[in-house]
Amino acid sequence: MNSTASRRSFLGFSGASALALGLAACEGGTQPGENPDGAGSANVWILTGGMWPVISDSVSRWNEAHPDQEISVEEFENDAYKERIRTAVGAGQAPTLVLSWGGGTLADYANNDQIIDLSGSTGDLEERLLPSVAQNGQVDGTTYAVPVNDVQPVVLFYNRDIFDEHGLEVPTTYEEMLSVSAELQDNDVLPFALAGASVWPELKWIQYLTDRIGGPEAFQAVLDGEPDAWSHPAFLEATTRIQELVETGAFGDNYASVAADQNADIALVHTGRAAMLLWLSSAYATFRSDAAEFTESALGWTQFPSVEGGAGDPANIVGNPANVFSVSSAASDEEQEAALGWISEQLYDDTQIEEMIAAGAVPPVQGIADQLAESENGDFLTFSYDLASEAPHFQLSWDQALPPGPAQELLTNLSQLFLMQITPEEFVDNMNATL
């Protein structure tokens, strides 16, 4: 899954649109009991690109070893999948293995008894996973999903040549970030590339600033639905600092017209027009494919700066812990047995881990540090792995953690905040109205 697809999750797919699509939206997807390609009645819908061919290979190996429990695989483009899966789940016609991004959607599935409790049903998988990633599959302490692909923390990428040319140090605090931003602008360099036209890249800024200032408890209160949770001082301070960055030119004058779909923001960094970029670790693969020589010689990376006096642990990270698989409660006992068998015996087995690392991805399992270090992309993969394995808290991207309605309101208000159309106080009030 490319970086754009991985971040969009269920954006723009409201509950209303799900109902409007109705069961007709399920056409083309394999339903329980159907057998479109000669495989067993258990089935899974996956996405195209990214790590998904590795998952498909894993299921093929399972089918070869278990001809009486075969699982059929059907691939969907990201947007097509988003349009179909929620309707299919709601209609009791979900595939046996239900792919999601965790968060609010997973909680909805669990609370509506549309997926089963996986506790104690996945062999030793839960013990092998990175704890910060495994938590993403839990709802109220019960495991309803397991990660299935790679871990993607948000990383601060930077152009080492620019910092060397101007004698600058990479910022480690918010105050240093403001100072470096000013010096870069004095040298006609854009401090931060930002794809403001796509809006969701702006989430990374409010997520990290809020965590650094107030810790994960601030957003957890929002997830818990506490009244006026957005009134936590961390949100007001984070949004105030965002507008400080905008007003001081940290993102330049044209960020609102830069779109992420064509990797325009990444190009600003590897072409030397911008110094830094806050992005998912998956951007590393794009740097390599679009600018291999630059990636080898001048791409740097570090974690998001701390905020002086903040309550948050600087080791906390935000991003996508991983996509997750659940098992549909509508599936038959035989279908569930096949799905749980594949999860227990083959998910993140040695072959899958080797294939993921070779593709430049980090599996969210423990004990693979040596394998990562010895790989072709060892330095970056080790950095990403250490971030995820050592993080006291790994916050799922807010647009995926929240239910679809509040998530869309968040994006709307965040865009207006970056465009200086609303004040931090209005942002807080507007978001409190979504609780």
Side-chain angles (χ1 to χ4, degrees):
M1 181 167 52
N2 62 38
S3 59
T4 300
S6 68
R7 287 289 300 106
R8 289 189 161 179
S9 182
F10 297 110
L11 296 182
F13 184 66
S14 66
S17 60
L19 292 173
L21 285 167
L23 296 180
C26 298
E27 294 176 357
T30 309
Q31 309 306 325
E34 294 184 352
N35 189 1
D37 58 2
S41 58
N43 64 333
V44 57
W45 296 353
I46 64 173
L47 305 182
T48 57
M51 288 296 101
W52 295 107
V54 174
I55 306 304
S56 182
D57 289 346
S58 175
V59 175
S60 295
R61 287 186 283 108
W62 166 266
N63 289 342
E64 291 175 4
H66 303 82
D68 58 335
Q69 288 187 309
E70 289 190 349
I71 302 171
S72 63
V73 178
E74 192 163 359
E75 296 181 349
F76 291 85
E77 295 290 340
N78 190 70
D79 288 347
Y81 179 82
K82 290 185 295 184
E83 291 179 358
R84 295 184 180 199
I85 188 61
R86 286 182 67 86
T87 304
V89 172
Q93 297 181 334
T96 311
L97 284 162
V98 181
L99 169 67
S100 75
W101 282 255
T105 299
L106 181 67
D108 282 348
Y109 292 165
N111 293 332
N112 289 308
D113 297 323
Q114 293 161 324
I115 53 177
I116 66 172
D117 179 355
L118 300 183
S119 302
S121 302
T122 59
D124 65 349
L125 179 62
E126 288 191 61
E127 289 73 30
R128 295 193 295 118
L129 295 170
L130 296 179
S132 62
V133 178
Q135 292 170 3
N136 192 42
Q138 297 177 351
V139 177
D140 297 331
T142 299
T143 298
Y144 283 96
V146 292
V148 66
N149 54 3
D150 53 320
V151 59
Q152 299 178 22
V154 172
V155 173
L156 182 61
F157 292 98
Y158 61 93
N159 184 321
R160 298 205 309 261
D161 286 344
I162 291 177
F163 278 84
D164 290 345
E165 179 181 354
H166 300 292
L168 298 172
E169 297 291 331
V170 177
T172 60
T173 68
Y174 178 81
E175 293 303 323
E176 290 178 4
M177 199 158 61
L178 287 178
S179 175
V180 167
S181 173
E183 293 195 51
L184 288 168
Q185 291 178 72
D186 288 343
N187 289 282
D188 296 324
V189 177
L190 175 65
F192 292 97
L194 176 64
S198 300
V199 183
W200 53 261
E202 298 171 345
L203 277 168
K204 302 169 182 63
W205 286 92
I206 190 171
Q207 291 169 175
Y208 261 134
L209 285 170
T210 300
D211 186 274
R212 294 290 188 266
I213 294 166
E217 295 81 6
F219 186 66
Q220 186 59 48
V222 173
L223 294 178
D224 293 342
E226 295 181 14
D228 296 327
W230 289 94
S231 294
H232 191 292
F235 294 115
L236 187 61
E237 184 174 344
T239 50
T240 298
R241 293 187 184 239
I242 284 173
Q243 293 201 328
E244 180 178 38
L245 290 166
V246 172
E247 289 181 315
T248 57
F251 306 115
D253 298 326
N254 300 316
Y255 64 90
S257 62
V258 178
D261 289 348
Q262 302 302 318
N263 301 322
D265 47 352
I266 293 175
L268 287 171
V269 176
H270 66 69
T271 59
R273 286 176 288 173
M276 294 173 279
L277 171 71
L278 191 61
W279 195 264
L280 289 164
S281 59
S282 56
Y284 179 80
T286 304
F287 275 115
R288 281 190 60 85
S289 62
D290 293 356
E293 184 175 343
F294 165 82
T295 304
E296 186 70 23
S297 65
L299 181 64
W301 50 80
T302 188
Q303 59 195 91
F304 190 81
S306 62
V307 174
E308 295 173 1
D313 191 323
N316 286 343
I317 55 177
V318 305
N320 291 342
N323 289 109
V324 297
F325 269 158
S326 301
V327 176
S328 171
S329 61
S332 68
D333 291 345
E334 292 76 14
E335 292 163 347
Q336 291 182 3
E337 183 178 353
L340 291 171
W342 173 74
I343 290 174
S344 301
E345 296 184 26
Q346 289 204 202
L347 186 56
Y348 298 119
D349 64 4
D350 291 345
T351 301
Q352 181 181 342
I353 289 173
E354 290 172 2
E355 291 179 349
M356 292 181 69
I357 292 175
V362 177
V365 297
Q366 303 182 54
I368 59 171
D370 290 344
Q371 282 180 266
L372 293 171
E374 295 168 358
S375 69
E376 180 182 0
N377 306 297
D379 289 346
F380 182 75
L381 295 186
T382 297
F383 168 77
S384 294
Y385 183 73
D386 288 346
L387 277 185
S389 59
E390 297 171 4
H393 183 76
F394 193 158
Q395 176 59 57
L396 175 65
S397 296
W398 290 1
D399 58 328
Q400 299 172 32
L402 290 169
Q408 186 57 54
E409 285 298 314
L410 170 62
L411 290 172
T412 298
N413 281 279
L414 188 61
S415 176
Q416 293 172 338
L417 182 82
F418 269 81
L419 294 172
M420 309 297 286
Q421 294 174 344
I422 60 173
T423 66
E425 290 80 6
E426 289 172 324
F427 175 90
V428 168
D429 290 343
N430 293 344
M431 292 311 301
N432 274 332
T434 69
L435 296 172

